[in-house]
Amino acid sequence: MSTEVRTESSIAANGPGVWTRLRTTLWAYRLPILVLGGLVALLYRPVVGYDFVTWDDPWYIVRNTHIQSWHPEHLWAIATEPIARNFAPLTIFTFLVEHTLWGLWPGGYHVTNVLVHAINAVLVFVLLRQVTGRGGIGWAGAVLFAVHPVQVESVAWISSRKTLLAATFTLASLICWLKRERTGRDEAWGLLWLVLGLLCKVSTVVVPPIVFVFDVLVRREDRGEAIVRQVVPAFFCAMFVLMTASAQFTYIGGVRGHFGMNKLHLLAVDAVILWKYVGMLVAPSNLAVLYDPPTVGIAGQMALSIAGWGLVAWLAWRERERHPLVTFAAAAWILLLLPMLNLFPLTTLMNDRYLYLPCIVFFGVAAAGAEAAFRWIVERWPALQAGTAARLVPVTAGVLLLTAVGGTYGCLTTRQLPVWRDGASLWSHAREVTPTLAVVHIEWANVLHEHGRDEEACAVLVEALEECRPDEADRERIRRKLSEWRTETAGHLGAVESR
């Protein structure tokens, strides 16, 4: 009896401790939770009324029989089979849970995406404040992360759940690992979040190299010790890379013109695209579901882009002793984008969702630069060097600048959101922005066909054949669809005439 009492007492003692720590953490971050969550909810409230789109949503949800039942056969398939080029069992499991809750009501799936994005915004605040030691940088980075229009694709597209969830666990893992004073418990939790992230999307593989760079540059650890510490995380990452790589060739769709490039040519194109990404983060415009960046005839752009990134790399390396966080930021920017640079073939060269996590580095550096600029002005303006003014002027200027920039990006986000209302709005907009891509015309034709406008759909496919130079796979898809739809149209006409 006494043993049972002691056991119950110990459980009672340990249980409240866990919940107390959780309540303490939530209370400590109540302000960012309320502010960032409110911003995300305010901006993305229209998506509750949005539909599924004809871009991966049918594969992940609408036609996915595995999420329609909890039968062991379906659970095994979710745990072992890639879907739409991705091995993401935890992501698919969330769709199983949601399908159980609300079936094929798209609003429920959209609400989940918005909630996960809000959680990620809070995690961005925690991570930036922890790494930089500056609350202002944490706030600026988190607000811009929450409201920037480049995030619309990741949040408003249900199938981008894998990006959102992988980001959640990536951020949680980095919060555990990127500490100047780190415990064994931190590393254990960091490993757990890493594995969960890999189960959502393989892009989480960036965590071990980012942690290695942080340990060497910021914590000043010996390289050998830092590498040994990442052996187990790297093992899990390698497993998931191998499981995902083969799936990239099993799905027809996307853009594949870059598949035949040698790696040097591809890296040169990537250098150009990286500068395009910087431009998208500074002044986002003409955002679309797919892009058609040029890959030939741009030797001058490639040379300038490579030279520009070479200069950035040299400046960052030169500052590694005085400003290790600057060098770390440069390395983290490249590492976060590395899975999307097509060193392992992907069916797109460039997407908005590829910036979902890398933008954190950009916004953090921009916020740090703005803060340094404000302090530089105060130091050189004697009238502002009084105690109160020296504190208030940079803070006030920072708040006003963040409000202006964040408000501008928020307005652009509200304008971009309706693009993702349904398949018709998505692909009609894509035809305006990227009319040169055959896949865009094919998807627009699919929308027309679903609405019974077969003649228009066939005309769109013929236009794609004549003007978009589709590759052989897309050419075959177009021919097959033309044959099927023309047969259906002829059958309908014959039925009408027989009446």
Side-chain angles (χ1 to χ4, degrees):
M1 178 67 70
S2 60
T3 303
E4 293 176 358
V5 171
R6 285 196 299 269
T7 302
E8 291 174 0
S9 301
S10 63
I11 292 175
N14 292 333
V18 174
W19 289 108
T20 299
R21 287 195 295 271
L22 178 60
R23 288 197 300 270
T24 301
T25 301
L26 292 176
W27 181 253
Y29 293 111
R30 63 192 182 280
L31 186 59
I33 289 172
L34 292 174
V35 173
L36 295 171
L39 278 175
V40 171
L42 180 65
L43 277 177
Y44 285 96
R45 68 189 187 283
V47 302
V48 178
Y50 288 5
D51 202 351
F52 297 110
V53 298
T54 54
W55 190 240
D56 282 359
D57 284 357
W59 302 103
Y60 281 113
I61 302 165
V62 180
R63 302 174 193 164
N64 187 359
T65 58
H66 298 320
I67 69 169
Q68 298 174 10
S69 168
W70 289 77
H71 190 278
E73 179 182 350
H74 294 301
L75 293 175
W76 177 254
I78 289 173
T80 59
E81 295 179 8
I83 295 177
R85 307 185 310 276
N86 286 281
F87 178 67
L90 187 53
T91 299
I92 306 304
F93 181 77
T94 67
F95 291 145
L96 169 65
V97 174
E98 289 181 275
H99 191 279
T100 304
L101 294 174
W102 37 70
L104 290 180
W105 176 53
Y109 300 87
H110 282 299
V111 168
T112 303
N113 273 22
V114 173
L115 176 62
V116 176
H117 181 55
I119 291 172
N120 289 345
V122 176
L123 294 177
V124 168
F125 167 77
V126 175
L127 179 63
L128 286 178
R129 191 184 72 162
Q130 173 180 296
V131 171
T132 64
R134 312 292 296 185
I137 293 175
W139 271 112
V143 168
L144 296 178
F145 172 87
V147 305
H148 198 282
V150 82
Q151 310 289 49
V152 167
E153 178 179 293
S154 297
V155 183
W157 181 26
I158 294 173
S159 291
S160 197
R161 173 75 57 77
K162 56 187 179 293
T163 297
L164 297 174
L165 286 177
T168 302
F169 294 118
T170 297
L171 290 168
S173 182
L174 290 175
I175 288 171
C176 293
W177 281 100
L178 301 187
K179 294 180 178 180
R180 287 169 174 80
E181 299 296 329
R182 192 167 64 223
T183 66
R185 173 178 288 184
D186 291 327
E187 295 183 355
W189 278 106
L191 180 61
L192 174 62
W193 299 134
L194 168 66
V195 173
L196 292 176
L198 291 169
L199 289 168
C200 296
K201 190 178 181 182
V202 75
S203 60
T204 313
V205 296
V206 299
V207 170
I210 288 176
V211 175
F212 169 77
V213 173
F214 182 84
D215 285 350
V216 171
L217 290 177
V218 180
R219 300 181 75 215
R220 307 293 186 183
E221 280 195 5
D222 176 75
R223 288 184 179 86
E225 294 180 3
I227 289 176
V228 169
R229 187 172 283 111
Q230 297 306 314
V231 168
V232 174
F235 170 76
F236 285 104
C237 292
M239 286 177 54
F240 280 88
V241 167
L242 292 174
M243 286 188 287
T244 302
S246 61
Q248 291 296 319
F249 297 98
T250 62
Y251 179 79
I252 294 178
V255 183
R256 298 175 299 277
H258 54 284
F259 277 10
M261 293 182 193
N262 63 60
K263 295 303 182 185
L264 290 178
H265 185 183
L266 192 57
L267 287 173
V269 172
D270 286 336
V272 177
I273 291 175
L274 287 175
W275 284 115
K276 292 182 183 292
Y277 281 151
V278 172
M280 289 166 62
L281 291 174
V282 175
S285 62
N286 294 324
L287 301 179
V289 60
L290 288 174
Y291 298 96
D292 189 19
T295 57
V296 294
I298 56 170
Q301 292 184 47
M302 291 178 178
L304 288 174
S305 297
I306 292 171
W309 288 117
L311 178 61
V312 171
W314 176 75
L315 291 173
W317 182 252
R318 192 183 67 171
E319 295 297 313
R320 68 188 185 281
E321 297 296 334
R322 291 190 304 166
H323 302 102
L325 284 179
V326 173
T327 310
F328 170 69
W333 162 262
I334 292 297
L335 289 171
L336 286 168
L337 279 164
L338 193 62
M340 281 69 79
L341 295 184
N342 273 272
L343 300 178
F344 297 98
L346 303 172
T347 53
T348 48
L349 267 175
M350 180 178 174
N351 281 121
D352 293 354
R353 63 185 178 276
Y354 292 171
L355 287 172
Y356 188 75
L357 283 180
C359 72
I360 299 170
V361 177
F362 184 87
F363 296 147
V365 170
E371 183 183 67
F374 293 145
R375 294 188 181 280
W376 182 85
I377 292 172
V378 168
E379 289 173 359
R380 283 157 180 76
W381 197 340
L384 299 177
Q385 292 181 10
T388 303
R391 292 192 301 271
L392 290 182
V393 170
V395 172
T396 303
V399 170
L400 292 175
L401 180 60
L402 179 60
T403 302
V405 175
T408 301
Y409 287 153
C411 290
L412 293 175
T413 291
T414 59
R415 292 174 56 184
Q416 182 68 17
L417 268 176
V419 169
W420 289 88
R421 181 183 291 112
D422 52 34
S425 59
L426 179 65
W427 295 110
S428 62
H429 176 264
R431 286 191 81 202
E432 296 176 3
V433 179
T434 52
T436 57
L437 285 177
V439 65
V440 169
H441 291 266
I442 294 172
E443 294 299 331
W444 174 238
N446 286 336
V447 170
L448 295 174
H449 174 66
E450 288 180 0
H451 288 80
R453 298 159 61 181
D454 287 355
E455 290 187 10
E456 295 177 59
C458 290
V460 169
L461 292 180
V462 171
E463 179 184 351
L465 277 176
E466 295 175 349
E467 300 182 9
C468 296
R469 294 178 297 179
D471 62 17
E472 189 55 39
D474 280 340
R475 189 176 296 274
E476 179 58 31
R477 291 173 68 200
I478 292 172
R479 288 171 177 164
R480 185 176 65 253
K481 289 178 182 293
L482 281 172
S483 176
E484 293 174 358
W485 295 349
R486 283 169 175 167
T487 301
E488 291 177 9
T489 302
H492 293 323
L493 290 175
V496 171
E497 290 175 358
S498 66
R499 293 175 187 173

